[in-house]
Amino acid sequence: MPRIGMEPLRRKALVDATLRTIGQQGSLDVTMSEIAREAGVSPALAHHYFGSKQQLLVATIRSLLARLRTDAVAALENVETPRERLSAIIRVSFQADQFAPETVAAWLAFYVEAQRSEEVRRLLIIYARRLRSNLLDSLERLCPPDDAARIAEGVAAMIDGLYIRQSLRSAPIGSTASVTLTEDYLDLQLRPFLRQDEPGTLAPNPSHRRGE
């Protein structure tokens, strides 16, 4: 008989093992047996908890998204200005655990699966909309809505693009360099909407925010 309290631990172990196994192989062409072996449990137990590999894949994506959301909430707790909030969002996107080679490979495998699975596609759309919403919330305080939407799309595209570049392990781009590149793009896009109050500081230009 399974010990009480073991199910959540084994479910998490299987989700973590799925991420590692997919990341190591670079595709979703893995078996429940391989995942179970990585998690240190039997294939029968993996099927008992998740039913099928597809259900386990969905649970793994949900786990990634939940972790990303938790990290984003924590990162935004102690920031005040819209520009600081944007930097926090960028840093979370490239933090070490999310930008590890195996995690990046798993993300890309999930995007491929989204072409075939409506449920996986829906989860990834939720991620994309959440990122865009978080960016827009701060950008709309710094520039007109149309420009905020354009810049948000650009920042999101840079984040996605740098994940793809990271997957090319022959020439990976590190987390710090990725943050710097995205910040440089954001600074360039925001420059017309900010005024220089004093050396080293930037403040929103009220006339641009009102579209005047």
Side-chain angles (χ1 to χ4, degrees), residues 88-194:
I89 293 167
I90 291 170
R91 287 195 304 272
V92 166
S93 297
F94 295 115
Q95 62 189 1
D97 60 339
Q98 287 288 341
F99 210 53
E102 289 181 3
T103 306
V104 171
W107 271 112
L108 293 181
F110 292 141
Y111 271 96
V112 172
E113 179 65 13
Q115 308 307 307
R116 300 188 293 265
S117 167
E118 184 60 32
E119 187 168 13
V120 172
R121 179 176 176 272
R122 182 178 59 82
L123 289 172
L124 294 178
I125 287 174
I126 289 173
Y127 153 73
R129 288 176 176 170
R130 186 180 296 161
L131 175 60
R132 186 176 187 274
S133 176
N134 285 337
L135 292 168
L136 276 175
D137 181 63
S138 294
L139 285 166
E140 288 180 344
R141 305 179 195 184
L142 298 172
C143 56
D146 288 348
D147 292 290
R150 173 179 56 80
I151 296 170
E153 291 295 341
V155 172
M158 279 205 70
I159 292 171
D160 289 344
L162 287 167
Y163 265 79
I164 293 173
R165 291 287 298 275
Q166 178 69 2
S167 71
L168 305 175
R169 299 185 183 183
S170 59
I173 299 174
S175 175
T176 301
S178 296
V179 169
T180 300
L181 283 170
T182 310
E183 288 278 4
D184 287 348
Y185 169 81
L186 185 56
D187 282 340
L188 181 64
Q189 295 299 314
L190 285 175
R191 191 173 298 163
F193 309 105
L194 301 175

Side-chain angles (χ1 to χ4, degrees), residues 18-37:
T18 302
L19 193 61
R20 290 194 303 272
T21 305
I22 292 171
Q24 290 162 6
Q25 298 197 19
S27 79
L28 298 183
D29 190 21
V30 298
T31 66
M32 285 288 268
S33 294
E34 290 171 326
I35 294 170
R37 188 183 311 118

